[in-house]
């Protein structure tokens, strides 16, 4: 966050890169030594993404969701280390960056827990401000700080062409590893699925909220769910897709969720 704050000064002396966590594809290479190509969004929705040599990808997807987003997940005590990073970020990094007091860091932790336990989280800012006893304007800042710190991702709606001015439709934790770290087996499966999709796809695509489904990327609409997910919410237009978690192979406009982890 301090680097972001000083980008104007640093830009004369250094190039600033943002290093995303591991994609599912990169996890497969680092953790299991499988080397797959990057697939474009068009290739993925045409069901051309393949995992040659992996007969059953679902156990690997589940392991990735639990511990595979950060490179240090390959080491022992991954969740202990991640928990310490989350605490450090909330109690020290953000308060120092934004000149917040200790009491505010406790409110940030409460806010993060609310998001982690949600199905998924559609923010009612006035109600949340009342629950954690802060002003409505302060809450906007808190969400912004946590997004800059890599703890959450905010999904904006499609009512504005100016990025950053659109209304926040949903708030997700940045990745599924953080969800498992905070709430473990109490994690909502729908939240985990949507978090994975949003996390993997927003690196190379502008992902916005859909009025009728979950996500829109370019002209394509995506509804995310389990293997029994129906297509009731989707138009039969050739540009709408059902993304299913518990399947190994796609067909027609049904795409396996793991395929979207091969986009970077």
């Amino acid at each position: 966050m301090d680097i972001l704050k000083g980008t104007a000064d640093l830009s004369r002396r250094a190039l600033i890169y943002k290093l995303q966590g591991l994609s599912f594809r990169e996890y497969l290479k680092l953790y299991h030594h499988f080397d797959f190509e990057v697939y474009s969004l068009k290739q993925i929705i045409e069901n051309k993404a393949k995992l040659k040599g992996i007969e059953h990808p679902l156990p690997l997807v589940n392991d990735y969701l639990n511990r595979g987003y950060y490179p240090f997940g390959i080491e022992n005590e991954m969740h202990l280390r991640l928990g310490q990073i989350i605490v450090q970020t909330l109690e020290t990094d953000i308060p120092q960056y934004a000149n917040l007091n200790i009491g505010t860091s406790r409110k940030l932790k409460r806010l993060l827990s609310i998001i982690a336990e949600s199905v998924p989280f559609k923010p009612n800012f006035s109600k949340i401000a009342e629950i954690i006893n802060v002003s409505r304007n302060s809450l906007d800042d808190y969400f912004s700080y946590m997004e800059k710190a890599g703890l959450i991702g905010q999904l904006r709606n499609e009512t504005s062409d100016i990025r950053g001015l659109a209304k926040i439709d949903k708030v997700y934790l940045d990745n599924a590893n953080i969800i498992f770290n905070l709430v473990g087996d109490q994690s909502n499966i729908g939240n985990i699925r949507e978090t994975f999709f949003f996390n993997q796809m927003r690196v190379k695509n502008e992902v916005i909220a859909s009025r009728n489904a979950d996500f829109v990327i370019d002209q394509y609409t995506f509804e995310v769910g389990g293997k029994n997910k129906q297509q009731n919410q989707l138009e039969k237009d050739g540009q709408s897709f059902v993304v299913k978690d518990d399947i190994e192979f796609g067909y027609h406009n049904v795409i396996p969720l793991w395929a979207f982890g091969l986009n970077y």
Side-chain angles (χ1 to χ4, degrees):
M1 294 175 75
D2 283 335
I3 289 174
L4 289 174
K5 201 181 211 178
T7 297
D9 292 332
L10 288 170
S11 63
R12 291 174 296 180
R13 289 168 285 162
L15 295 173
I16 308 299
Y17 295 93
K18 181 176 181 181
L19 181 61
Q20 190 77 12
L22 299 177
S23 67
F24 178 54
R25 184 189 71 86
E26 292 171 329
Y27 152 85
L28 290 172
K29 184 170 184 178
L30 179 63
Y31 285 59
H32 301 285
H33 311 295
F34 289 105
D35 196 357
F36 299 109
E37 64 181 283
V38 172
Y39 288 92
S40 68
L41 175 60
K42 191 169 188 305
Q43 289 174 311
I44 292 170
I45 62 177
E46 291 174 350
N47 275 312
K48 292 181 179 178
K50 306 295 181 184
L51 294 176
K52 294 179 181 177
I54 297 179
E55 188 173 351
H56 300 294
L58 297 184
L60 293 170
V61 173
N62 290 332
D63 185 58
Y64 170 79
L65 293 172
N66 189 281
R67 69 177 182 117
Y69 184 71
Y70 299 100
F72 61 79
I74 202 169
E75 303 168 0
N76 294 327
E77 307 292 351
M78 183 272 182
H79 279 292
L80 179 61
R81 184 170 174 183
L82 179 56
Q84 291 172 342
I85 290 171
I86 293 170
V87 170
Q88 169 78 15
T89 303
L90 293 173
E91 293 188 354
T92 304
D93 297 342
I94 293 176
Q96 286 184 357
Y97 168 83
N99 296 318
L100 304 176
N101 58 40
I102 297 299
T104 303
S105 69
R106 287 194 291 269
K107 292 174 181 178
L108 291 175
K109 285 194 280 188
R110 174 68 181 131
L111 191 54
L112 205 64
S113 296
I114 291 172
I115 298 168
E117 295 163 3
S118 298
V119 192
F121 183 61
K122 282 182 143 315
N124 181 328
F125 285 98
S126 298
K127 186 174 181 180
I128 298 166
E130 184 179 336
I131 291 172
I132 66 174
N133 194 28
V134 299
S135 73
R136 171 67 176 76
N137 291 339
S138 295
L139 200 58
D140 287 336
D141 291 338
Y142 295 168
F143 276 102
S144 176
Y145 298 148
M146 289 196 294
E147 187 171 42
K148 288 178 180 177
L151 293 176
I152 66 171
Q154 299 186 87
L155 178 68
R156 292 169 171 84
N157 65 17
E158 49 193 337
T159 60
S160 173
D161 292 329
I162 304 175
R163 187 172 177 83
L165 295 183
K167 181 181 177 183
I168 304 301
D169 186 76
K170 294 178 186 175
V171 180
Y172 298 95
L173 293 189
D174 180 75
N175 62 82
N177 290 185
I178 299 178
I179 299 178
F180 280 103
N181 187 273
L182 292 177
V183 294
D185 293 337
Q186 303 303 311
S187 309
N188 175 268
I189 187 62
N191 193 7
I192 292 169
R193 289 164 177 157
E194 290 186 30
T195 297
F196 172 83
F197 183 94
F198 186 38
N199 170 268
Q200 298 289 283
M201 296 309 296
R202 71 175 188 256
V203 176
K204 296 178 72 174
N205 310 275
E206 183 173 7
V207 185
I208 60 177
S210 167
R211 291 190 183 97
N212 303 316
D214 290 320
F215 303 98
V216 172
I217 302 174
D218 298 331
Q219 72 269 33
Y220 305 115
T221 299
F222 300 92
E223 177 72 12
V224 180
K227 63 182 178 182
N228 297 319
K229 187 72 178 178
Q230 301 301 310
Q231 304 199 31
N232 303 339
Q233 294 166 263
L234 298 180
E235 300 289 337
K236 307 290 194 243
D237 57 4
Q239 296 184 322
S240 299
F241 301 88
V242 179
V243 181
K244 294 191 177 185
D245 177 21
D246 304 316
I247 63 171
E248 295 184 340
F249 306 101
Y251 52 93
H252 302 306
N253 72 327
V254 176
I255 319 294
L257 181 61
W258 59 258
F260 294 89
L262 306 180
N263 192 227
Y264 74 89

